[in-house]
Amino acid sequence: MRSENHPTLVDLDELDRKIIAVLREDGRITVTDLARRVSMSKTPCQVRMRRLVESGVIRGFRAVVDPVSLGLDHVAFAEVKLSDTREAALAEFNSAVRRIPEVEECHMLASSFDYLLKVRTADIRRYRQVLGEKISSLPHVSSTSTFVAMETVKDASS
């Protein structure tokens, strides 16, 4: 059974892992160059890459955009505590938070709070609006607490 929350574990060998590592560095690499980098011929490399895509190991290819160049250099992390943590309430919250474009990441945690959100906006004023008008009005939110990032030291998504 494969779903977004519970993917099927795929058996990967060393060549698959090499292909993935190269594609994580450069998703626009040609199959010919990829095959050369992982010491394979083109056709078997292409077959492996297709299998990795079809099995869901590789979920897609996209442009990695510098958010600062778009004027989105304010990052805040919001702890969110819910008033109800039954499955229906969690599903309702999850569905609603996915519709907020400023929320880059949302993680359910085992902690004194229920969710940690990574929120990216242009500045603190815009963050206050997103927090007050969008995050605080999400289903079952009882409280939030914010931590503002002063500097991003490592971001694996970029």
Side-chain angles (χ1 to χ4, degrees), residues 14-27:
E14 192 58 33
L15 283 172
D16 292 328
R17 292 181 191 284
K18 285 180 181 179
I19 290 169
I20 292 165
V22 172
L23 288 172
R24 288 184 77 176
E25 289 176 22
D26 181 4

Side-chain angles (χ1 to χ4, degrees), residues 2 9-10 16 19 23 41 50 84 96-97 119 122 125-126:
R2 188 180 188 310
L9 190 61
V10 177
D16 292 328
I19 290 169
L23 288 172
S41 58
R50 187 177 308 121
D84 184 352
V97 77
V119 184
R125 282 186 295 282
R126 179 65 186 138

Side-chain angles (χ1 to χ4, degrees), residues 57-75:
V57 172
I58 296 175
R59 296 191 303 195
F61 298 88
R62 66 183 62 113
V64 179
V65 179
D66 176 24
V68 174
S69 68
L70 300 175
L72 300 172
D73 57 350
H74 183 270
V75 176

Side-chain angles (χ1 to χ4, degrees), residues 9-84:
L9 190 61
V10 177
D11 188 29
L12 304 174
D13 65 15
E14 192 58 33
L15 283 172
D16 292 328
R17 292 181 191 284
K18 285 180 181 179
I19 290 169
I20 292 165
V22 172
L23 288 172
R24 288 184 77 176
E25 289 176 22
D26 181 4
R28 293 181 59 167
I29 192 170
T30 65
V31 175
T32 302
D33 289 340
L34 175 62
R36 184 182 44 74
R37 292 259 315 263
V38 298
S39 303
M40 293 182 73
S41 58
K42 181 180 173 183
T43 301
C45 182
Q46 191 168 30
V47 167
R48 281 177 178 262
M49 191 172 105
R50 187 177 308 121
R51 182 178 55 83
L52 291 168
V53 170
E54 288 172 356
S55 67
V57 172
I58 296 175
R59 296 191 303 195
F61 298 88
R62 66 183 62 113
V64 179
V65 179
D66 176 24
V68 174
S69 68
L70 300 175
L72 300 172
D73 57 350
H74 183 270
V75 176
F77 294 89
E79 294 177 351
V80 177
K81 186 156 182 57
L82 302 184
S83 58
D84 184 352

Side-chain angles (χ1 to χ4, degrees), residues 61-143:
F61 298 88
R62 66 183 62 113
V64 179
V65 179
D66 176 24
V68 174
S69 68
L70 300 175
L72 300 172
D73 57 350
H74 183 270
V75 176
F77 294 89
E79 294 177 351
V80 177
K81 186 156 182 57
L82 302 184
S83 58
D84 184 352
T85 56
R86 291 175 290 178
E87 284 303 315
L90 296 174
E92 194 177 350
F93 176 88
N94 293 348
S95 177
V97 77
R98 286 184 184 110
R99 292 190 296 269
I100 301 175
E102 294 87 355
V103 175
E104 284 190 347
E105 297 179 22
C106 175
H107 304 273
M108 182 191 293
L109 302 178
S111 180
S112 59
F113 55 95
D114 301 300
Y115 287 90
L116 181 65
L117 312 181
K118 179 182 178 186
V119 184
R120 185 178 292 277
T121 57
D123 54 36
I124 191 72
R125 282 186 295 282
R126 179 65 186 138
Y127 174 75
R128 266 189 63 211
Q129 289 174 332
V130 171
L131 179 66
E133 297 171 13
K134 296 180 180 183
I135 295 171
S136 294
S137 64
L138 286 168
H140 310 289
V141 170
S142 65
S143 66

